[in-house]
């Protein structure tokens, strides 16, 4: 079997598993609703569980976790050859996987771990393997690695954060945003986290379309993940406002009218903050992970991303040299050589 075909099959299987896990979450929420319980009642007994619907309008953690499988399927179609037939096949497999989602005992553990990780991220509390085993994965300790792997993929694809082990000895982890938010400390981390997954997808579409994507191309991909311009979304709220106003005002995206277009058409580009806080290589790595492959599997984009990394490295080196020169001059003026 050709290597490329095997890669597509692996990616499809990965998306199918994600879909069944999300179906398991939806089943759990339906059961809770029938019993008069809120979805948050499925959270393990933490010291202070977050409100199911905060006053700011932030979606509940169980709802937010649902975005992962649809995001996976959508980005997979950004530059793949699967097209509509692939989507139909995915839909068929997803419906067949519903029964499996109800019987796989790991699904609920994955969902609970996503909730746990999000709460830790929002509270800026340390994440340890001991706590995950104590509060979430009590009865499935032998499956810890698999549950952690699935939950990590959900966090990355839905919220744009990576789970990294920062202390192998004590098994401590940290959630790291794909955006370097140190660029501007005025940005609300929790608010932008809920939009980062959506932002990464839009940035990916723009990159794949030659660094300038027609608005209709962006919505074509977002529609595949269940995000529509005129329909409120459980994670993003008003998606059109998010990508054409909020992320534009924050300078992550540029949204402009196509010159001489009649009727008016619009297009997206990366904004200055996106160039500062992420990179083409990071976005390509995100897309590659969705496709279950490596960045070099997209040759033209990979070459451009490598050039971008080299240019960034040269710019950083030049900046350091300039700073060193200024410091050297200041020291010389303060301590002139004795004549």
């Amino acid at each position: 079997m050709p290597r490329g075909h095997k890669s597509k099959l692996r990616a499809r299987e990965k998306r199918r598993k994600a879909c069944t896990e999300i179906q398991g979450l939806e089943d759990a929420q339906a059961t809770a609703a029938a019993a008069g319980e809120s979805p948050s009642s499925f959270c393990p007994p933490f010291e202070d569980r977050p409100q199911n619907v905060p006053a700011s309008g932030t979606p509940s953690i169980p709802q937010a976790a649902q975005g992962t499988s649809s995001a996976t399927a959508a980005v997979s179609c950004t530059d793949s050859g699967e097209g509509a037939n692939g989507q139909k096949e995915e839909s068929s497999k997803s419906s067949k996987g519903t029964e499996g989602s109800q019987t796989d005992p790991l699904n609920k553990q994955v969902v609970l771990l996503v909730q746990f990780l999000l709460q830790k991220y929002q509270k800026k509390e340390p994440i340890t393997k001991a706590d995950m085993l104590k509060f979430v994965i009590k009865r499935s300790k032998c499956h810890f690695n698999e549950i952690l792997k699935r939950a990590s993929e959900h966090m990355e694809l839905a919220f744009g954060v990576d789970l990294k082990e920062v202390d192998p000895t004590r098994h401590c982890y940290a959630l790291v945003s794909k955006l370097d938010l140190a660029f501007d400390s005025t940005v609300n981390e929790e608010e932008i986290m809920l939009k980062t997954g959506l932002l990464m997808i839009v940035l990916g579409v723009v990159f794949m379309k030659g660094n300038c994507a027609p608005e209709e191309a962006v919505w074509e991909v977002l529609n595949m993940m269940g995000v529509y311009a005129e329909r409120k979304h459980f994670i993003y709220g008003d998606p059109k406002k998010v990508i054409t106003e909020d992320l534009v005002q924050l300078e992550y995206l540029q949204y402009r009218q196509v010159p001489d277009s009649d009727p008016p058409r619009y297009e997206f580009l990366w904004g200055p903050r996106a160039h500062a806080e992420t990179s083409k290589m990071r976005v390509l790595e995100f897309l590659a992970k969705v496709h279950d492959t490596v960045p070099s599997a997209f040759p033209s984009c990979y070459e451009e991303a490598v050039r971008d990394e080299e240019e960034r490295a040269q710019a950083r080196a030049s900046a350091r040299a300039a700073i060193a020169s200024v410091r050297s001059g200041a020291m010389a003026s303060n301590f002139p050589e004795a004549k």
Side-chain angles (χ1 to χ4, degrees):
M1 183 181 295
R3 181 178 179 182
H5 188 56
K6 286 183 178 179
S7 178
K8 282 186 179 181
L9 290 177
R10 288 196 300 270
R12 288 179 182 177
E13 176 60 19
K14 180 180 177 181
R15 294 195 300 271
R16 186 194 67 77
K17 287 178 67 177
C19 286
T20 58
E21 287 164 8
I22 297 305
Q23 182 63 48
L25 171 61
E26 292 171 347
D27 292 343
Q29 288 180 308
T31 302
E37 301 172 352
S38 69
S40 63
S41 65
F42 283 90
C43 294
F46 305 141
E47 293 180 1
D48 182 22
R49 290 185 297 186
Q51 294 293 320
N52 194 41
V53 183
S56 62
T58 302
S60 67
I61 287 175
Q63 286 180 321
Q66 295 180 42
T68 309
S69 61
S70 53
T72 307
V75 180
S76 296
C77 294
T78 302
D79 192 47
S80 70
E82 294 182 27
N85 290 335
Q87 286 298 299
K88 290 178 181 178
E89 183 177 344
E90 277 301 313
S91 177
S92 175
K93 286 185 177 182
S94 177
S95 61
K96 291 179 181 178
T98 302
E99 182 178 350
S101 71
Q102 298 172 338
T103 58
D104 186 346
L106 300 186
N107 290 341
K108 184 176 180 181
Q109 299 297 310
V110 172
V111 172
L112 292 177
L113 185 54
V114 168
Q115 297 173 8
F116 177 83
L117 294 173
L118 281 172
Q119 182 178 0
K120 289 291 186 180
Y121 184 88
Q122 291 167 340
K123 290 186 173 183
K124 294 180 172 57
E125 294 178 347
I127 302 169
T128 65
K129 179 179 180 179
D131 281 347
M132 287 187 273
L133 291 173
K134 179 179 179 181
F135 294 116
V136 185
I137 314 176
K138 297 179 180 179
R139 301 177 181 178
S140 306
K141 295 183 179 181
C142 59
H143 298 292
F144 173 79
N145 290 336
E146 175 63 19
I147 294 171
L148 183 65
K149 177 175 176 291
R150 291 193 204 175
S152 299
E153 290 176 350
H154 283 303
M155 295 296 295
E156 179 179 6
L157 298 176
F159 302 104
V161 291
D162 294 315
L163 181 68
K164 296 184 177 182
E165 189 172 23
V166 294
D167 187 343
T169 303
R170 295 187 300 166
H171 299 291
C172 294
Y173 299 81
L175 287 168
V176 182
S177 174
K178 290 185 177 295
L179 302 175
D180 183 9
L181 297 177
F183 175 72
D184 186 350
S185 59
T186 63
V187 175
N188 186 309
E189 266 189 65
E190 292 182 20
E191 180 183 355
I192 195 61
M193 183 195 73
L194 293 173
K195 301 173 183 176
T196 301
L198 179 61
L199 174 62
M200 292 297 288
I201 292 172
V202 176
L203 293 177
V205 176
V206 172
F207 186 26
M208 289 287 187
K209 294 293 183 180
N211 299 308
C212 182
E215 182 177 14
E216 53 268 26
V218 171
W219 283 113
E220 181 181 357
V221 172
L222 294 181
N223 289 169
M224 293 176 187
M225 59 179 284
V227 179
Y228 300 91
E230 307 302 331
R231 188 182 303 174
K232 188 172 182 180
H233 191 268
F234 56 82
I235 296 178
Y236 312 121
D238 183 346
K240 186 169 184 177
K241 180 178 180 294
V242 170
I243 67 173
T244 63
E245 295 182 31
D246 298 349
L247 294 175
V248 172
Q249 290 174 359
L250 290 171
E251 299 185 340
Y252 284 111
L253 294 172
Q254 290 184 42
Y255 179 66
R256 68 187 187 188
Q257 184 176 340
V258 177
D260 303 321
S261 59
D262 186 19
R265 290 184 295 107
Y266 294 85
E267 59 191 7
F268 287 95
L269 297 88
W270 284 32
R273 180 171 271 144
H275 284 287
E277 296 186 5
T278 190
S279 67
K280 293 179 179 179
M281 186 61 78
R282 285 192 200 176
V283 172
L284 187 60
E285 288 170 349
F286 177 87
L287 296 177
K289 186 158 189 178
V290 168
H291 282 282
D292 195 22
T293 185
V294 294
S296 57
F298 307 92
S300 60
C301 289
Y302 182 70
E303 291 175 6
E304 184 177 345
V306 169
R307 288 196 301 270
D308 181 62
E309 290 295 301
E310 293 172 348
E311 291 171 2
R312 287 170 178 268
Q314 292 174 359
R316 288 193 295 268
S318 298
R320 285 194 296 267
I323 293 173
S325 177
V326 170
R327 288 177 177 173
S328 177
M331 291 181 65
S333 63
N334 291 330
F335 302 98
E337 295 183 6
K339 295 184 179 180

